[in-house]
Each structure stands twice: as structure tokens, then as C-alpha cells.
Amino acid sequence: MSGEALQRPALLGEDLLRRLEEDLIHMHFPPGMRLVEEEICQRFAVSRSPVREALQILASYGLVERRPRVGMFVTELSVRKLDEVYACRASLEALASSGVARNASARTVSSLEKLVRDMGRAIEKDARDTAFAANVALTNLLHAECGNETLRTILASLDKQALRYRLYCYRRNRDMMLFSIEANVALVAAIKARAPDQAAEVTRDLVTRSGQMIRAALLATAGDDAAKESA
């Protein structure tokens, strides 16, 4: 996490929330880490009030959790939570993609195609965080153009938790990146063809299979950790 003081004092609370959220998603704060208010205040040169407010909002996102009489901690990555998040994502993301296929302008399609190309170039260089950033931008654009404000709100909240799991697997499993680019090429083609049912089907399969890959990565890590402890 960067230690530089934030700028734009008038937007301090908003900036602090954004920076903490990014650090949590990119796991600069490791899962299970205890978050000490005083340390965050010092690192960002802010008072306790915006830190407490930001942590409360992040708790509502599911990124941090308060343990009674102990303090605030980064939420652990777990198979149980992953399964819950992805059970919701499969249907909701499919609904969003079908909406985009019905409503997408030529400009939106062009932007989606560019993001897919950006993903492909990053994957060729094995620049995993760059590929992930392009994938996130593509997902955000799909949500923005789905034509359903209520759905956008639900997905925005759900995505806060999903992003950590997605990045976790991107960094560990190149096959997920390769599958992601292949599936997103097919998705953008369906959107360009204005085929909402096909877009929904591609998205549902993409989210389901991605969830399975992330699940396998989590279980493999748990197995490695158990092996180290018993060694």
C-alpha cells in the first residue's frame, strides 16, 4: 500500500475509501490481517473519523469484518463465500450481458473490442495484473451499459467481493486468463451480433467456469499450507 498522503482535501473521505478498497482488492492488505486505525491514519495522514467511516463502508462491502472485542480484520478468502458470490454472479452477469446485447451502441462495441485486445496483449506478455485491469474495465463497461439501474447497483456491491477472488486466481492460474480472453471474445461477438440469448449463455458459462477455477486454486493453496504445517 502506498504511504503517500492523499490529495484533494475536500474529497478526503471518498479518496481514502477508494484507496483502501483498491489495496484490499489487490491484497496489499493480506486476507486475515488486522487493520489498526492508528496505522492507517499515519500512512494516509488523515484523522480517525474518515478511517472509521471508510472501514464501516468496506465492512458493508464484505471486504473487512469486525470481530467483537478484537478489532477489524481483512475478510478471509473462503470456498464457502466464493460459492455464495458466484452462485449470484452467474445469473446476474448473464442478465447484464443480455441487456448490453439489446442496447449496445457501435461505440460501446468498439470499446469492448479494444478492451479484449488489451487483455490479449497483456496475456501475451504474461502481465497478469494488466490483463486483470483490462478485464475489470470490460466488466464495468458491461454493467454500465446493461440498461438496468437496479441490476447495476446489485452488481456493484457483489463485484467488490468477487474482484479479490478473480485477481487471486489470475495471479496463480494462467489457464484462467486464457479462458477469460477466449470467452470474452465470444461474448463481444454475441453483443455485436445483437444476440442477447447467446451473450447470456456465454457469460453464464464464463462465470461458472471461472468460479470453478478459483475454487480449485483456493483448495490447492489450502492443501499447500496444510502440507507446510505438517512438514
Side-chain angles (χ1 to χ4, degrees):
M1 181 177 66
S2 173
E4 64 197 52
L6 297 181
Q7 304 299 316
R8 298 187 302 164
L11 297 177
L12 187 60
E14 178 185 334
D15 283 349
L16 178 63
L17 175 62
R18 174 179 56 79
R19 290 286 295 277
L20 287 172
E21 182 182 319
E22 289 176 356
D23 282 341
L24 287 163
I25 289 170
H26 286 83
M27 284 178 269
H28 299 153
F29 294 112
M33 175 183 175
R34 183 169 182 263
L35 298 171
V36 181
E37 289 183 5
E38 292 87 346
E39 293 178 359
I40 297 174
C41 291
Q42 292 173 8
R43 190 178 293 273
F44 289 103
V46 297
S47 65
R48 279 177 176 261
S49 180
V51 170
R52 287 175 177 170
E53 181 180 356
L55 290 176
Q56 288 175 355
I57 294 172
L58 292 167
S60 73
Y61 294 164
L63 295 176
V64 302
E65 59 183 4
R66 184 176 296 282
R67 299 178 187 173
R69 298 182 297 279
V70 181
M72 192 73 78
F73 291 78
V74 180
T75 304
E76 297 276 7
L77 297 176
S78 72
V79 170
R80 178 188 64 79
K81 177 57 78 173
L82 170 73
D83 289 345
E84 291 178 357
V85 169
Y86 271 72
C88 297
R89 281 197 77 214
S91 296
L92 293 173
E93 295 285 1
L95 181 60
S97 293
S98 65
V100 179
R102 292 187 185 92
N103 303 310
S105 64
R107 182 175 180 178
T108 297
V109 171
S110 177
S111 296
L112 290 169
E113 289 176 332
K114 179 183 180 303
L115 288 168
V116 169
R117 289 195 298 272
D118 290 345
M119 286 178 61
R121 283 193 290 268
I123 289 171
E124 287 176 0
K125 298 176 182 178
D126 201 32
R128 303 193 181 198
D129 280 18
T130 302
F132 176 73
N135 184 226
V136 171
L138 186 147
T139 300
N140 290 341
L141 181 56
L142 290 171
H143 294 174
E145 298 297 327
C146 72
N148 185 323
E149 184 175 350
T150 300
L151 180 59
R152 281 198 297 269
T153 301
I154 296 171
L155 285 170
S157 176
L158 192 64
D159 236 19
K160 305 292 185 185
Q161 298 180 60
L163 283 171
R164 285 200 311 157
Y165 289 96
R166 289 164 61 187
L167 180 57
Y168 177 87
C169 195
Y170 252 71
R171 289 174 171 174
R172 287 162 175 78
N173 187 351
R174 182 175 170 80
D175 287 344
M176 181 168 176
M177 292 194 298
L178 297 174
F179 167 66
S180 180
I181 184 67
E182 178 184 343
N184 278 293
V185 166
L187 171 58
V188 174
I191 290 171
K192 188 173 185 177
R194 295 194 175 278
D197 290 344
Q198 182 181 354
E201 181 180 352
V202 170
T203 301
R204 190 175 290 106
D205 181 63
L206 166 60
V207 174
T208 299
R209 290 182 61 187
S210 295
Q212 292 169 349
M213 290 181 182
I214 298 169
R215 198 177 200 277
L218 286 172
L219 291 172
T221 300
D224 290 343
D225 290 343
K228 289 176 183 178
E229 290 179 3
S230 62

